[in-house]
């Protein structure tokens, strides 16, 4: 169930297939959520970096297709970035303050992904009031639909994902209070040539208060185990053990990263030999769903992943005996592999 401004939100749609997109369109025009989107847009982006000094605050970073549920007594901040056509979702229990963040990249993982997020957030109370924020996605539609959402055609990548998220939130029995809906048109800017870009690519949640700010992270703060976690994203599409699911990454109770294994195959490695020889511009066009919207380190990051895969073609070198890669918190807030 969806609530806005403390009131139950419903639409007149009788078709389940169109419910998500029609509800999304209505919510995007809701005065309360429009005002919240404008307020979020006015906040200066926080840049998170651990390069200069260690931080006394404890962070958890979530990569694409991952999720993490954090306990505010153990973690100060949780966030994600690098979202272009992806959508970041925050669900926070108003009473326990347990907070779950996911980085959704595909509609087919939404149903099970929400169940994964809620398993510790609801805490056995199906009537708990849950604050919800959706940030990410942008108007990556064709020019014929550039001025708004088309209810007849779900062009691009962002709109179908947003519609699926809204449809699933509305269909479930939990009480979801949408506080921020900074997606699609609200999160879009255009250059002089008409190319669309996201205004913000990420966010940071303060777990004690639930406050949310736009944020970007650098390589030092996208941790731990950056490269292996990135490789899991692409490999998981062909690893049947992860069908329809978000990637298990973080253990809430122990405040440890427990990076579950994911396998890659020789067939997945073959294109790398060709891709490595492409120019940066060719890599960008070949490997991105939104080449005009990617960050400046997108291609460099891909090349670092390919270098790792060439060096470690057998996934069992990274996950011996199919065991997870475990990282524990250090005294300065960083991470150390067990």
């Amino acid at each position: 169930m969806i609530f806005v401004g403390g009131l139950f939100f419903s639409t007149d749609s009788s078709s389940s297939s169109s419910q998500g997109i029609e509800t999304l369109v209505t919510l995007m025009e809701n005065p309360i959520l429009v005002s919240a989107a404008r307020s979020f847009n006015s906040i200066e982006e926080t840049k998170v970096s651990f390069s200069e000094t260690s931080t006394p605050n404890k962070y958890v970073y979530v990569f694409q297709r991952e999720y993490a549920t954090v306990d505010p007594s153990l973690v100060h901040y949780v966030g994600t970035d690098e979202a272009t056509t992806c959508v970041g979702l925050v669900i926070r229990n108003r009473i326990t303050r347990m907070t779950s963040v996911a980085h959704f990249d595909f509609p087919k993982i939404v149903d099970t992904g929400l169940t994964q997020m809620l398993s510790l957030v609801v805490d056995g109370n199906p009537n708990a009031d849950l604050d919800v924020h959706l940030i990410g996605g942008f108007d990556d539609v064709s020019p014929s639909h550039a001025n708004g959402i088309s209810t007849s055609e779900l062009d691009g990548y962002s709109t179908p994902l947003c519609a699926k998220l809204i449809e699933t939130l509305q269909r479930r029995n939990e009480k979801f209070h949408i506080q921020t809906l900074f997606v699609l048109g609200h999160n879009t800017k255009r250059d002089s040539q008409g190319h669309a870009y996201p205004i913000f690519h990420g966010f940071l949640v303060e777990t004690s208060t639930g406050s949310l700010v736009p944020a970007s992270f650098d390589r030092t703060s996208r941790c731990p185990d950056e490269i292996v976690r990135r490789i899991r994203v692409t490999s998981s599409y062909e690893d049947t053990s992860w069908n329809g699911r978000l990637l298990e990454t973080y253990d809430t109770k122990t405040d440890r990263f427990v990076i579950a294994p994911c396998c890659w195959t020789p067939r997945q490695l073959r294109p790398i030999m060709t891709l490595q020889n492409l120019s940066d511009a060719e890599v960008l066009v070949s490997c991105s769903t939104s080449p005009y919207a990617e960050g400046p380190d997108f291609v460099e990051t891909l090349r670092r992943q390919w270098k790792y895969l060439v060096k470690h073609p057998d996934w069992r070198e990274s996950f011996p005996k199919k065991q997870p890669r475990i990282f524990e918190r250090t005294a300065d807030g960083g991470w150390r592999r067990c």
Side-chain angles (χ1 to χ4, degrees):
M1 296 181 285
I2 290 178
F3 292 78
V4 177
L7 300 177
F8 176 68
F9 181 88
S10 64
T11 61
D12 297 328
S13 175
S14 58
S15 170
S16 59
S17 61
S18 63
Q19 185 179 39
I21 185 63
E22 291 183 8
T23 303
L24 175 61
V25 171
T26 305
L27 288 170
M28 291 285 290
E29 298 171 348
N30 182 279
I32 294 175
L33 295 178
V34 169
S35 177
R38 288 173 179 165
S39 296
F40 187 78
N41 191 18
S42 68
I43 302 173
E44 184 177 355
E45 183 181 75
T46 296
K47 299 186 184 302
V48 184
S49 175
F50 301 160
S51 59
E52 296 181 1
T53 59
S54 61
T55 171
N57 292 317
K58 297 178 180 179
Y59 287 77
V60 166
Y61 180 81
V62 176
F63 278 103
Q64 179 179 337
R65 210 175 197 184
E66 293 183 345
Y67 83 103
T69 300
V70 301
D71 184 335
S73 67
L74 300 174
V75 176
H76 299 111
Y77 296 97
V78 56
T80 188
D81 75 337
E82 298 188 307
T84 53
T85 56
C86 298
V87 176
L89 176 65
V90 182
I91 303 177
R92 183 177 185 269
N93 189 311
R94 289 181 174 178
I95 303 299
T96 67
R97 299 180 298 163
M98 293 290 283
T99 305
S100 191
V101 169
H103 188 132
F104 284 94
D105 61 355
F106 195 58
K108 288 186 178 180
I109 63 172
V110 169
D111 288 318
T112 302
L114 271 174
T115 299
Q116 290 174 275
M117 294 179 71
L118 291 167
S119 61
L120 291 176
V121 172
V122 172
D123 194 31
N125 179 11
N127 294 317
D129 289 301
L130 307 171
D131 285 330
V132 172
H133 306 266
L134 295 95
I135 297 96
F138 70 108
D139 273 341
D140 63 324
V141 297
S142 63
S144 61
H145 296 110
N147 293 324
I149 302 172
S150 167
T151 57
S152 58
E153 287 187 62
L154 298 185
D155 284 1
Y157 294 90
S158 298
T159 300
L161 178 56
C162 290
K164 178 62 177 177
L165 283 164
I166 292 298
E167 182 268 323
T168 308
L169 290 171
Q170 189 175 41
R171 174 169 42 82
R172 293 186 65 109
N173 293 325
E174 294 86 0
K175 296 162 68 175
F176 299 107
H177 296 262
I178 298 185
Q179 305 295 335
T180 309
L181 186 63
F182 196 77
V183 299
L184 303 176
H186 295 321
N187 188 34
T188 301
K189 59 183 178 181
R190 296 183 181 274
D191 63 17
S192 59
Q193 296 179 317
H195 297 137
Y197 302 82
I199 297 172
F200 297 124
H201 293 257
F203 57 84
L204 190 67
V205 183
E206 185 176 7
T207 60
S208 61
T209 64
S211 64
L212 194 80
V213 297
S216 62
F217 298 73
D218 65 10
R219 192 188 301 183
T220 67
S221 54
R222 293 174 186 141
C223 60
D225 215 16
E226 177 206 1
I227 292 299
V228 170
R229 289 167 66 189
R230 289 185 184 277
I231 291 170
R232 285 199 318 166
V233 176
T234 52
S235 301
S236 64
Y237 287 103
E238 296 191 29
D239 185 338
T240 56
S241 65
W242 291 109
N243 281 353
R245 299 171 57 207
L246 292 168
L247 294 167
E248 304 280 356
T249 302
Y250 173 79
D251 186 87
T252 306
K253 296 179 180 178
T254 62
D255 186 33
R256 297 194 305 174
F257 270 87
V258 182
I259 300 167
C262 186
C263 64
W264 46 87
T265 66
R267 190 180 72 82
Q268 292 172 271
L269 300 180
R270 290 190 201 107
I272 291 177
M273 302 307 172
T274 300
L275 291 169
Q276 283 182 316
N277 295 321
L278 298 179
S279 68
D280 287 358
E282 290 170 327
V283 169
L284 185 62
V285 172
S286 301
C287 299
S288 173
T289 60
S290 50
Y292 290 109
E294 298 293 354
D297 57 352
F298 177 79
V299 173
E300 178 197 359
T301 298
L302 283 177
R303 294 194 186 280
R304 289 192 293 123
Q305 292 176 60
W306 297 338
K307 183 178 180 180
Y308 182 94
L309 287 168
V310 170
K311 187 176 181 179
H312 306 281
D314 189 339
W315 67 274
R316 288 167 293 192
E317 294 178 27
S318 301
F319 297 98
K321 299 181 179 180
K322 299 184 179 180
Q323 293 302 303
R325 297 164 67 92
I326 300 175
F327 293 78
E328 62 183 8
R329 184 88 64 178
T330 59
D332 63 358
W335 299 98
R336 174 178 59 240
R337 188 172 180 185
C338 296

